[in-house]
Amino acid sequence: MTDDRVYPASKPPAIVGGGGATTNPTFPANKAQLYNANRPAYRPPAGRRRSSHSRGCCCRCCCWTIFVIILLILIAAAASAVVYLIYRPQRPSFTVSELKISTLNFTSAAHLTTAISLSVIARNPNKNVGFSYDATDITLYKVSTGGDDDVVIGKGTIPSFVHGKKNTTTLRSTIGSPPEDLDEISAGKLKGDLKAKKAVAIKIVLNSKVKVKMGSLKTPKSGIRVTCEGIKVVAPTGKKATTATTSAAKCKVDPRFKIWKITF
């Protein structure tokens, strides 16, 4: 009985190429073959390039914005300097010329009745600058001591007016009673001063809006406050009005316009 099984050769048959040389593959594959055989070339992600480009644009925009702002500030400063050199603007001045008290007494526990005549002189020292004022609100305060708040004792108004170049104008107003009753403590202190016929220190505050005209240039309306202190009044005891002492009165002009604070 014959054995028909076929056994493989111990070596694979050699493959004869055109050059007659034989090449056998190496097994197993080394690490270089496993990791580098089909590995693509490295390319940076496209997203990083876009974010870097965006950051660069933002930086340039910020730099240009800052540059424009600085340039505008320099132009405004140069224009203000030119206006100042040409017109030499100065603040107007105010003086309390007369203050007469006809009535200053309490008609109830906390209601103060006030009737005061006020005259204020306004001077414009400028040769080439004029002022146009809106209606002016006037408030009279009793100056408190010891850290207490000042007490409103009267209210009034001055009509709108035009203050021309190198002009002196007298402004008159009648001061009436405050719109609200005084609180108990303030009323008690003022009553004591009036009964003792003491001179009461008062402060006058004027608030208005003004437009400045320099040649053909007109500024927008801006706030102005005038505070006059150093005034003492005595309440009348009869029908005859008393006159306040204003010799030591000083008025401070406080414009609420920033360019004024630089140039005036």
Side-chain angles (χ1 to χ4, degrees), residues 98-171:
E98 187 179 56
L99 193 148
K100 289 185 176 181
I101 303 93
S102 300
T103 305
L104 187 64
N105 56 33
F106 284 89
T107 54
S108 65
H111 181 74
L112 180 66
T113 301
T114 304
I116 297 175
S117 298
L118 173 67
S119 296
V120 176
I121 297 175
R123 293 183 177 88
N124 179 8
N126 297 281
K127 294 180 180 179
N128 301 308
V129 180
F131 302 98
S132 179
Y133 293 87
D134 285 354
T136 303
D137 294 327
I138 306 173
T139 306
L140 264 67
Y141 295 90
K142 173 189 175 292
V143 179
S144 300
T145 57
D148 296 334
D149 294 335
D150 295 339
V151 180
V152 178
I153 62 172
K155 287 274 191 177
T157 58
I158 294 174
S160 60
F161 67 99
V162 176
H163 207 182
K165 306 168 186 177
K166 279 289 184 180
N167 177 265
T168 299
T169 301
T170 300
L171 310 172

